[in-house]
Amino acid sequence: MSSSLKLKSYTEYETRKRNPDPKSCALLVIDVQNYFSSIATPILSNLNTTINLCRQSSIPVIFTRHSHKSPSDHGMLEEWWFGDLIIDGTLDAELVETLDRKVEEDMVVEKTTYSAFRNTRLEEKLLEMGVREVIVTGVMTNLCCETTARDAFVRGFRVFFSTDATATSDKDLHEATLMNMAYGFAYLLDCQRLKHALSS
């Protein structure tokens, strides 16, 4: 490959640095469900580490679960994915068991499209909790994670986006989202950077 065609890395766009503020931050764990287990499994260790770091700093952890109850909530996803949707009540729709979740304590937001803010009252819940920043983790990097991060940004939340606790079906798509996030929407972090930020 010619040097002039060398692929860019998201690090070239990472010109802004900032640490999350535990007093006004929440962790969003997007759609880590059985349907996506093959994508989520490689990042589960990093994801659970991120969850534990946030718990230690009293950062609330909010999980989202994507599923459909009837054709009325399919929207464009029905057409786009040729009807391959996650149906509520199935094993595919459940959050993976190895996810570090406190069933009695952690909030689960039910959603039917890419953004965790669409028709979920997530924004109102965050504002009621005094949250002004969100850390986005989960799957898929380039679909629900990216859309949720963009939506959070335009709603006025400061967004942090995990590079190693998000995943998708293709490395190039993952990298493309990280470039988009660093360029226009979010501060990037990974487990090590988060650990350092929360301990300093």
Side-chain angles (χ1 to χ4, degrees):
M1 180 183 291
S2 167
S3 60
S4 63
L5 295 177
K6 184 180 178 182
L7 292 175
K8 289 188 175 183
S9 165
Y10 66 85
T11 57
E12 296 180 46
Y13 297 95
E14 205 177 353
T15 59
R16 299 168 182 83
K17 305 280 186 179
R18 191 182 183 107
N19 291 334
D21 178 1
K23 295 178 181 178
S24 63
C25 194
L27 174 65
L28 302 182
V29 182
I30 306 295
D31 301 352
V32 184
Q33 298 164 246
N34 291 325
Y35 182 89
F36 300 110
S37 62
S38 63
I39 295 172
T41 297
I43 62 159
L44 269 176
S45 176
N46 288 338
L47 187 53
N48 283 332
T49 295
T50 301
I51 291 170
N52 287 325
L53 287 170
C54 287
R55 290 199 200 284
Q56 291 167 17
S57 294
S58 299
I59 294 173
V61 181
I62 300 171
F63 296 84
T64 72
R65 193 175 73 91
H66 186 115
S67 68
H68 299 274
K69 293 180 171 62
S70 73
S72 65
D73 66 25
H74 291 181
M76 275 299 297
L77 296 184
E78 169 79 28
E79 175 182 325
W80 202 256
W81 299 111
F82 306 105
D84 182 17
L85 302 179
I86 308 170
I87 304 304
D88 190 49
T90 65
L91 184 61
D92 278 349
E94 299 305 314
L95 298 176
V96 300
E97 288 187 1
T98 47
L99 195 57
D100 185 7
R101 183 166 70 96
K102 295 184 177 179
V103 176
E104 301 299 323
E105 299 176 27
D106 295 326
M107 183 189 306
V108 178
V109 172
E110 305 285 344
K111 68 185 191 64
T112 60
T113 191
Y114 294 151
S115 175
F117 288 92
R118 175 76 173 166
N119 294 330
T120 63
R121 296 200 73 252
L122 175 59
E123 180 175 13
E124 291 84 350
K125 293 171 185 175
L126 292 174
L127 294 178
E128 287 168 7
M129 296 162 63
V131 170
R132 295 294 183 273
E133 302 179 351
V134 294
I135 302 170
V136 177
T137 63
V139 298
M140 295 168 67
T141 311
N142 58 312
L143 295 178
C144 295
C145 293
E146 179 169 350
T147 307
T148 296
R150 287 172 179 259
D151 208 348
F153 181 90
V154 299
R155 291 168 188 262
F157 292 92
R158 180 175 293 116
V159 181
F160 296 85
F161 199 95
S162 176
T163 61
D164 63 356
T166 54
T168 191
S169 57
D170 181 276
K171 182 180 178 182
D172 289 341
L173 294 174
H174 182 77
E175 186 88 2
T177 287
L178 297 181
M179 286 192 282
N180 284 329
M181 290 295 105
Y183 186 81
F185 299 97
Y187 298 96
L188 301 184
L189 49 74
D190 56 22
C191 288
Q192 280 302 116
R193 193 179 299 179
L194 180 62
K195 181 178 181 179
H196 181 266
L198 296 180
S199 63
S200 62

